[in-house]
Amino acid sequence: MKILIIGGTGTISSAITRQLAESGHELWLLNRGNRKKEVPESVKQITADIDDTDTVLSCLPSETFDAVCEFIGFLPSQVERDIRLFRGRTRQYVYISSASAYNKPAASHVITEGTSLANPYWEYSRNKIACEELLMKEYRENGFPVTIIRPSHTYCERYVPVSIHGPKGSWPVLKRMLEGKPVLVHGDGSSLWTLTWNEDFARGFIGLLGNPKAIGEAFQIMSDEQLTWNQIYESVAQALGVNPHLYHVASDFLAAVCPKDYDLTGNLIGDKAVTVVFDCSKLKRAVPGFQATTRFDEGVRRCVDYILAHPELQVEDPEFDQWSDRVIAAQEQAKTAMKMD
């Protein structure tokens, strides 16, 4: 197949790029070229800003693509741009939405593609919903060949997934574990969550490319493994070779007192604090044999090993560290005050 990926070097898309290249597909990437050295040699690269439509059109081949995959479309205006660019130029347009678009909390903790879309807590999710609605309208009215993909928490070797961190990523949380400091966990840590290794996600995604069952449909791609957040943090600590000191704080409190750039209202209240179990039977019917095979305890060991071997990924965040200590101190002071009463 002849495939164009808009993006192609991020957490999710990098594994798709590798697997498509290894399978011998004619693969093109359109991005700003920030990670050119990590792209397989057989992949054709267009270095451009997707919003510069004249440059993009001058660089694209004249033939029709079998699939165009949009990984960096976050606003309806960006989707409208893609429709203008690729109408009549692709047999399939694959839009990466988000499982955070599902209603929070949903009527049932078991999430299917038919679960209603509504997230009053997170603008990011509402924009994804608006993009989906625009694309499905274009499909119904004009036959635009859209497929919608809703990933949940997909991770790779570059970072360890945690629920509470600052704008510089998860390393400061790992550093606190290594130093024996308490680590913030939302709620009582018992809500269920799903984490998916990016190479597993890629296999399900590629199975939908050129698949006639995928046109005009939405699919979620996740692991079948559900873990509590306590189990997730315990697996991280085990990979680091330390005993975890988990400190539980109510999600509402964390969202209320966090700095604006942490956005815990969206990330927690609108997503990670809610128990969800994803039903991927629709994907498995469309892609027979698909199964995520990487357990989180296996994946997180790969992450920890990779990060410890790459100091450039160990980005310090003293502000987050200080904020964590302040939250813990505030809750401990409240406990002491209540006991004195």
Side-chain angles (χ1 to χ4, degrees):
M1 289 190 293
K2 185 175 184 177
I3 300 163
L4 172 69
I5 294 179
I6 304 171
T9 58
T11 296
I12 297 178
S13 58
S14 58
I16 295 168
T17 294
R18 289 193 300 268
Q19 290 184 23
L20 285 172
E22 290 167 1
S23 299
H25 295 285
E26 182 181 343
L27 180 60
W28 294 67
L29 299 189
L30 170 57
N31 57 43
R32 295 182 179 182
N34 295 329
R35 292 183 177 173
K36 275 190 171 184
K37 294 180 180 179
E38 301 175 20
V39 177
E41 290 184 4
S42 63
V43 175
K44 299 176 175 64
Q45 298 190 67
I46 300 172
T47 303
D49 183 339
I50 182 65
D51 287 321
D52 184 356
T53 54
D54 290 339
T55 299
V56 170
L57 285 172
S58 68
C59 294
L60 287 175
S62 58
E63 307 90 57
T64 298
F65 287 100
D66 294 297
V68 171
C69 309
E70 172 61 273
F71 281 87
I72 53 175
F74 304 103
L75 300 171
S77 60
Q78 295 169 326
V79 167
E80 289 172 343
R81 172 208 62 208
D82 285 358
I83 293 171
R84 292 193 302 270
L85 273 172
F86 298 109
R87 182 186 284 116
R89 297 175 66 94
T90 183
R91 297 181 179 89
Q92 183 182 26
Y93 175 88
V94 184
Y95 177 70
I96 309 303
S97 183
S98 170
S100 70
Y102 290 121
N103 196 10
K104 299 293 188 313
S108 170
H109 70 281
V110 179
I111 305 297
T112 72
E113 288 83 356
T115 298
S116 61
L117 303 181
N119 192 329
Y121 304 103
W122 206 357
E123 184 180 11
Y124 163 82
S125 306
R126 293 194 296 275
N127 284 330
K128 287 290 189 179
I129 294 169
C131 290
E132 286 197 28
E133 291 174 344
L134 191 158
L135 285 164
M136 290 307 296
K137 182 176 185 291
E138 188 68 18
Y139 166 70
R140 289 190 299 268
E141 296 180 1
N142 299 307
F144 190 68
V146 63
T147 298
I148 292 169
I149 307 295
R150 298 181 189 135
S152 186
H153 202 158
T154 307
Y155 68 106
C156 68
E157 69 279 1
R158 289 180 171 274
Y159 84 102
V160 171
V162 294
S163 64
I164 302 166
H165 60 80
K168 296 182 180 178
S170 60
W171 170 250
V173 179
L174 274 63
K175 187 170 182 285
R176 287 182 70 89
M177 285 189 172
L178 290 168
E179 293 174 349
K181 293 181 179 180
V183 172
L184 296 175
V185 179
H186 66 274
D188 64 359
S190 66
S191 58
L192 292 174
W193 195 244
T194 297
L195 296 160
T196 307
W197 184 245
N198 68 342
E199 293 175 353
D200 288 335
F201 179 93
R203 289 195 295 274
F205 181 92
I206 291 170
L208 294 171
L209 298 183
N211 188 330
K213 296 179 181 178
I215 304 300
E217 298 289 340
F219 295 87
Q220 51 194 26
I221 305 175
M222 296 90 175
S223 169
D224 290 324
E225 180 184 40
Q226 291 93 39
L227 299 167
T228 67
W229 279 102
N230 285 336
Q231 290 173 319
I232 291 168
Y233 277 89
E234 287 161 2
S235 292
V236 174
Q238 186 175 18
L240 288 168
V242 299
N243 292 318
H245 300 282
L246 306 185
Y247 191 89
H248 297 95
V249 180
S251 300
D252 287 344
F253 181 78
L254 289 167
V257 303
C258 75
K260 288 184 179 179
D261 54 355
Y262 293 14
D263 191 20
L264 294 185
T265 297
N267 272 298
L268 282 185
I269 312 302
D271 200 26
K272 296 178 179 65
V274 181
T275 283
V276 289
V277 175
F278 295 102
D279 178 354
C280 290
S281 56
K282 181 178 180 180
L283 172 69
K284 292 175 182 177
R285 289 193 298 271
V287 186
F290 169 76
Q291 186 70 42
T293 59
T294 306
R295 296 196 318 264
F296 180 65
D297 63 300
E298 298 170 337
V300 77
R301 280 199 299 271
R302 298 181 200 173
C303 295
V304 166
D305 290 346
Y306 188 88
I307 291 170
L308 292 179
H310 290 78
E312 71 275 11
L313 299 177
Q314 299 169 24
V315 181
E316 302 273 345
D317 191 345
E319 291 79 11
F320 172 78
D321 200 45
Q322 293 165 11
W323 177 77
S324 298
D325 289 337
R326 288 173 57 207
V327 169
I328 292 167
Q331 182 158 294
E332 290 302 307
Q333 288 170 9
K335 288 179 184 178
T336 299
M338 292 298 292
K339 287 177 182 177
M340 291 175 63
D341 291 345

